[in-house]
Amino acid sequence: MNRIALITGATSGIGRATAKILSQNNFDVIITGRRKELLEDLEKEIKLESSSKIYILNFDVRNKEEVDSAIDSLPKEWKNIDVLVNNAGLAVGLNHIQDGVIDDWERMIDTNVKGLLYVSRKIVPIMVEKKHGHIVNIGSTAGKEAYENGNVYCGTKHAVDAITKGMRIDMLKDKIKVTAINPGMVETEFSIVRFKGDKEKASKAYKGFTPLYGNDVADAILYVVTRPEHVCINDMIITATAQANSLYKIVE
Ligand code: NDP
Ligand code: 8X3
């Protein structure tokens, strides 16, 4: 029987690739995000590739009421979630702290930290009750070391790192696995969002080296969620070969 995975931020990038790879590997997937039409496109694509079941939930992770009612609306057979991939997230802006845009800061904190918490608060009790489940939080190399102009984004990903560690301790007795996957630079819509729609600026971020792609991270997510019951991968850092960490990268 297939397991059930809920993936936040499945309309694009890492989340989309994760939904596809999990559905090809014996998972039924609940795909979520704000852009409903992209979720519908993904549903069609997955249906062509596998016989796994798909369920669409359309909500904004920043809105606690929307999160709660979306999860509550799941049919009984979909509520038994085995794997939660907390992936929805973004960076907005790149400024020195004194020039920071308050609205950008709020979007990042509300999505990357509070959104992850709202979704987890709703789904974790289901896992605790059955003493089974796996939470995969998508952190970042930006959650391991800060870089110039990254201040608040790095802060949100350091928060994801700490929350992940805390979750694992709190749910140790409940046998819930908690994993952080921390990618370096991945070419997705991430930089387009960071540069507020400026695609030219965004594409320059990946010039001169081969970055990671969504599939590379999805592949790692598949690995961690398919280990034997007694094995939990706690923390994984994945970068392009051309990148050592947030601060060092070879560009040719
Ligand atoms: P994308 O921009 O391609 O995808 C982001 C996803 O998050 C989209 O599906 C988007 O869906 C969703 N999302 C954003 N805001 C919200 C919201 N308020 N409510 C619901 N969903 C939301 O970027 P990536 O795939 O690269 O990013 C995925 C995660 O990986 C993020 O947490 C990011 O911080 C992290 N990461 C990315 C790296 C990179 O270099 N790309 C490196 C390290 C970590 P929609 O807009 O439809 O709501
Ligand atoms: C995204 C990678 O280096 O832009 O988390 O912070 S980076």
Side-chain angles (χ1 to χ4, degrees):
M1 203 176 88
N2 276 5
R3 287 194 281 158
I4 298 176
L6 185 147
I7 301 128
T8 66
T11 58
S12 167
I14 296 168
R16 189 178 203 281
T18 301
K20 288 189 65 166
I21 203 166
L22 291 185
S23 65
Q24 288 156 7
N25 285 277
N26 306 320
F27 281 89
D28 292 333
V29 289
I30 303 168
I31 52 175
T32 80
R34 290 167 301 177
R35 289 171 291 175
K36 193 158 183 252
E37 64 292 351
L38 294 185
L39 294 172
E40 286 163 355
D41 290 347
L42 176 60
E43 179 183 35
K44 282 185 205 132
E45 211 171 299
I46 290 177
K47 276 188 175 157
L48 288 176
E49 291 168 354
S50 86
S51 56
S52 290
K53 297 193 189 97
I54 307 136
Y55 198 91
I56 290 178
L57 283 182
N58 183 213
F59 63 87
D60 185 329
V61 296
R62 294 172 297 179
N63 184 321
K64 169 113 184 30
E65 284 71 41
E66 272 188 33
V67 170
D68 287 352
S69 68
I71 309 292
D72 285 339
S73 75
L74 280 171
K76 195 164 166 268
E77 64 274 22
W78 280 99
K79 281 231 168 79
N80 211 9
I81 296 164
D82 299 289
V83 172
L84 164 62
V85 183
N86 274 317
N87 163 76
L90 76 184
V92 198
L94 259 184
N95 301 100
H96 279 172
I97 196 82
Q98 66 273 23
D99 302 319
V101 178
I102 302 289
D103 184 55
D104 295 349
W105 293 356
E106 284 172 348
R107 279 178 67 193
M108 290 188 275
I109 294 166
D110 289 351
T111 310
N112 301 356
V113 183
K114 291 168 70 179
L116 178 147
L117 288 171
Y118 293 161
V119 174
S120 301
R121 182 65 184 84
K122 195 66 190 164
I123 293 175
V124 162
I126 302 172
M127 295 181 171
V128 167
E129 180 160 356
K130 55 186 178 141
K131 302 249 179 293
H132 166 81
H134 193 163
I135 296 158
V136 180
N137 291 332
I138 307 303
S140 170
T141 46
K144 299 294 183 180
E145 62 273 317
Y147 54 84
E148 188 175 6
N149 291 318
N151 43 64
V152 175
Y153 178 67
C154 295
T156 65
K157 290 299 181 177
H158 276 72
V160 171
D161 192 47
I163 291 166
T164 303
K165 289 174 185 155
M167 281 180 164
R168 192 178 311 112
I169 295 165
D170 291 349
M171 295 186 290
L172 188 58
K173 63 179 182 318
D174 302 306
K175 303 187 170 72
I176 309 299
K177 299 187 194 188
V178 186
T179 300
I181 303 277
N182 303 285
M185 295 179 77
V186 192
E187 188 166 5
T188 60
E189 290 182 7
F190 180 85
S191 288
I192 299 172
V193 174
R194 169 169 259 174
F195 293 114
K196 304 181 180 180
D198 186 335
K199 289 192 178 162
E200 207 182 309
K201 227 174 180 179
S203 71
K204 280 193 188 137
Y206 309 105
K207 284 262 152 65
F209 74 108
T210 306
L212 295 174
Y213 299 103
N215 278 340
D216 299 316
V217 183
D219 188 41
I221 295 171
L222 175 66
Y223 175 77
V224 303
V225 301
T226 52
R227 292 312 85 211
E229 199 52 45
H230 67 289
V231 178
C232 178
I233 310 291
N234 291 355
D235 198 50
M236 196 188 265
I237 299 177
I238 317 164
T239 65
T241 308
Q243 190 181 9
N245 58 28
S246 282
L247 303 169
Y248 293 92
K249 184 171 84 238
I250 299 293
V251 179
E252 280 159 8

